[in-house]
Amino acid sequence: MHLQCRPLSYANLSQSSTWSLHPWTLDSPQVELHTSLLRLGIIVPPLVMGTDNNTFTIVSGYRRIQFAKAQCNSTHIDCRIMQKDLEPQLVFEIILEDIKDTSTLTLAEKAMFLSIASNYFPKETLAQKFFKRLGIKRKQSFLDDLFHLLDGDQIFIDLAHGGLIEEQMLAELLRLKNTDKYAVIDLFSQLNLGASKQKKLLGLLRDAAYKEVFSISDYLQQDGIQTITENETLNIPQIIQHLDRYLQLKIYPQSIAAEKEFTTRIKEITLHKNQKISHSPAFEKDTVTLSTEFASLEQCIAFLQNN
């Protein structure tokens, strides 16, 4: 057996956080967890690993140990103990099994898992070994972004741990200066945007700001933006819509004007209900497309044969 469960003395438990997936939170109050422990007690014993000097390193369950030490009138706590000198692959399999649902891990915790694993496996093998198990749907190069996340300041790590930075946006945000990065994250949080809408809005903000030679953070303070984002009469979807339109107009003023003229002229044309005229992207060409929708392939074939 690779694991055994037995009581360990608190004195034999190392306080090292080497294996913690969220060391930055260990000293922070966790009210919900504390309430659960008070109500139900420790359901799953902490997971620890034996060492050569007869002490045990905590792998998971730091707060459970702290709770038991403070609340329980005992010098020992039941722990699940991994044998020392297990093969690294087996150790990480046990850790993943202990987590069970890796979708509950934050982006920062996934980055920490891979950082710890990099001490035991060649870096170039980490993506193949663990990305799928961690639910990461990115290429191997994303590993560098995750490590850069951990190299960043604590505020950025906390935001990633709090769910305000999504996998799809990490690389984009890492490229920004800190002032721009946090201004953008604040806006995303205010508007409660998902990753795809975040990416679109960031692209528009970047293009509009750079066009007028502003940083993104300064551009967000401009009256035109503030009038939209601080308008208490608008709900969130309306703010997003107005902001998108405002930025499009700033970036592509001629395209917006052309769009208005195009829409006006289309209204003057009598089309069948199943017909539609569309222009080229951003009016890069003068060509237009007349499309006709048919209820079935058979109807389309019949139409073509008769014309």
Side-chain angles (χ1 to χ4, degrees), residues 79-93:
C79 293
R80 292 168 297 152
I81 306 169
M82 276 193 282
Q83 296 175 10
K84 64 179 181 180
D85 301 326
L86 287 180
E87 289 292 326
Q89 185 66 41
L90 186 54
V91 170
F92 283 87
E93 283 293 327

Side-chain angles (χ1 to χ4, degrees), residues 48-267:
V48 302
M49 180 187 299
T51 67
D52 291 329
N53 58 0
N54 294 321
T55 61
F56 297 86
T57 300
I58 303 169
V59 177
S60 69
Y62 292 83
R63 292 198 189 89
R64 281 168 275 170
I65 291 171
Q66 291 171 352
F67 170 84
K69 191 175 182 179
Q71 300 290 332
C72 303
N73 185 23
S74 174
T75 59
H76 291 67
I77 180 174
D78 287 337
C79 293
R80 292 168 297 152
I81 306 169
M82 276 193 282
Q83 296 175 10
K84 64 179 181 180
D85 301 326
L86 287 180
E87 289 292 326
Q89 185 66 41
L90 186 54
V91 170
F92 283 87
E93 283 293 327
I94 291 172
I95 293 172
L96 286 168
E97 184 61 29
D98 184 53
I99 296 169
K100 291 191 181 297
D101 184 6
T102 55
S103 67
T104 62
L105 294 178
T106 68
L107 192 60
E109 287 173 324
K110 292 177 182 180
M112 183 57 70
F113 178 96
L114 291 162
S115 178
I116 295 170
S118 70
N119 296 320
Y120 298 88
F121 303 99
K123 181 181 175 181
E124 59 271 16
T125 68
L126 294 177
Q128 182 179 4
K129 282 180 179 294
F130 297 117
F131 270 22
K132 185 175 181 180
R133 293 290 301 274
L134 294 172
I136 297 174
K137 301 176 181 178
R138 314 294 289 180
K139 295 181 179 179
Q140 181 169 327
S141 58
F142 186 62
L143 185 67
D144 291 328
D145 294 329
L146 290 170
F147 286 171
H148 288 155
L149 161 62
L150 297 178
D151 291 336
D153 57 62
Q154 191 56 52
I155 295 174
F156 194 60
I157 293 173
D158 289 340
L159 290 169
H161 187 60
L164 291 178
I165 299 172
E166 299 195 42
E167 183 179 305
Q168 298 93 319
M169 287 301 298
L170 179 60
E172 299 279 353
L173 293 171
L174 285 171
R175 295 191 187 102
L176 301 178
K177 296 185 300 183
N178 276 355
T179 51
D180 289 346
K181 183 165 58 182
Y182 294 127
V184 166
I185 292 172
D186 284 344
L187 181 62
F188 289 168
S189 178
Q190 175 190 344
L191 300 180
N192 193 28
L193 295 179
S196 61
K197 290 185 177 180
Q198 286 181 9
K199 191 162 189 174
K200 179 184 178 184
L201 180 57
L202 176 57
L204 290 173
L205 278 172
R206 186 167 45 212
D207 291 348
Y210 293 172
K211 183 178 181 181
E212 298 188 31
V213 199
F214 279 106
S215 68
I216 294 176
S217 56
D218 286 341
Y219 192 76
L220 286 172
Q221 297 303 313
Q222 299 300 301
D223 289 342
I225 298 289
Q226 291 285 301
T227 299
I228 298 171
T229 58
E230 301 300 324
N231 191 332
E232 296 182 356
T233 67
L234 299 177
N235 59 32
I236 296 298
Q238 289 171 333
I239 291 175
I240 296 171
Q241 184 180 20
H242 281 67
L243 196 55
D244 182 271
R245 187 69 177 174
Y246 176 86
L247 293 171
Q248 293 274 6
L249 183 59
K250 286 293 184 179
I251 301 168
Y252 312 113
Q254 294 180 335
S255 179
I256 297 297
E259 181 74 47
K260 288 182 178 180
E261 181 183 356
F262 181 82
T263 301
T264 300
R265 293 191 63 185
I266 291 300
K267 289 180 179 179

